[in-house]
Amino acid sequence: MTISIRHAVKDEWLEVVAIHRRAIHEIAVADYPPEVLNAWGPPIGEQESAHLLAEFDAKLERGQVVLVAEVEGVIAGFGELGQDKNELLAVYVNPDFARQGVGAAILRELERVALEKKLSFLQMDASLTSSPFYEAHGFQALGRDVHVLQSGAQMDCVKMRKDMT
């Protein structure tokens, strides 16, 4: 299986958001109650589509790096890096490609970009589900905390950090 990583484009953003929602509801379901899952990955209706596309533009305007992984022309996952706060914002894998190296490939490329941009460390609020993945890739767990979602809902998380030097 060949995994290619490239910058995301606006035309595919709704598909990326759908992968985000699927990953939350199919992979993180064992670690969070339904109300957290629904706040973290709400349903996507037609009214939300315009807002989500505007959100993609805003991410790029803020200097965020948004990457997608492709396998045979199918989006297999995505990742985001916020340079202004040295923040790893996301690595999500389409559940159809889980445990096939997609997440690791996305993370490697985000770390390469971080080094290219001279970021000395990366930090993040990892979900309870994803923290073992990040630890296996050199991130240090700094302790449990609460992450506030865009909706204002809260979810348990693990504060993590990795020095890039």
Side-chain angles (χ1 to χ4, degrees):
M1 178 172 82
T2 302
I3 302 166
S4 60
I5 309 290
R6 61 172 174 74
H7 287 273
V9 296
K10 188 174 182 174
D11 289 349
E12 65 199 2
W13 189 243
L14 295 178
E15 183 179 352
V16 169
V17 172
I19 289 168
H20 175 259
R21 185 173 198 287
R22 275 193 67 205
I24 290 166
H25 288 272
E26 295 177 34
I27 298 173
V29 66
D31 295 313
Y32 294 97
E35 59 272 10
V36 171
L37 296 172
N38 289 328
W40 183 13
I44 305 162
E46 287 185 33
Q47 292 178 335
E48 290 82 18
S49 296
H51 170 74
L52 291 168
L53 292 172
E55 181 182 88
F56 179 79
D57 290 336
K59 288 174 183 288
L60 299 183
E61 288 171 13
R62 288 190 301 267
Q64 287 180 215
V65 175
V66 183
L67 303 177
V68 293
E70 277 188 328
V71 174
E72 297 178 13
V74 175
I75 297 177
F78 74 100
E80 297 179 37
L81 177 68
Q83 301 173 68
D84 59 336
K85 296 181 183 175
N86 291 46
E87 193 169 15
L88 181 61
L89 297 166
V91 173
Y92 287 90
V93 175
N94 178 331
D96 297 337
F97 294 92
R99 300 193 139 329
Q100 296 180 42
V102 173
I106 294 167
L107 181 58
R108 276 193 306 274
E109 182 61 13
L110 288 169
E111 289 178 344
R112 187 197 67 73
V113 170
L115 285 169
E116 180 181 275
K117 300 200 177 280
K118 305 202 182 320
L119 301 182
S120 59
F121 67 94
L122 288 176
Q123 61 186 348
M124 66 182 309
D125 288 353
S127 70
L128 302 180
T129 308
S130 67
S131 63
F133 166 80
Y134 293 113
E135 283 187 278
H137 289 89
F139 280 79
Q140 179 183 7
L142 304 175
R144 297 269 300 249
D145 204 346
V146 174
H147 178 78
V148 179
L149 299 165
Q150 287 181 344
S151 67
Q154 298 181 353
M155 64 182 273
D156 291 335
C157 72
V158 179
K159 293 280 188 189
M160 303 193 88
R161 179 185 165 113
K162 181 176 182 177
D163 291 330
M164 300 305 296
T165 53

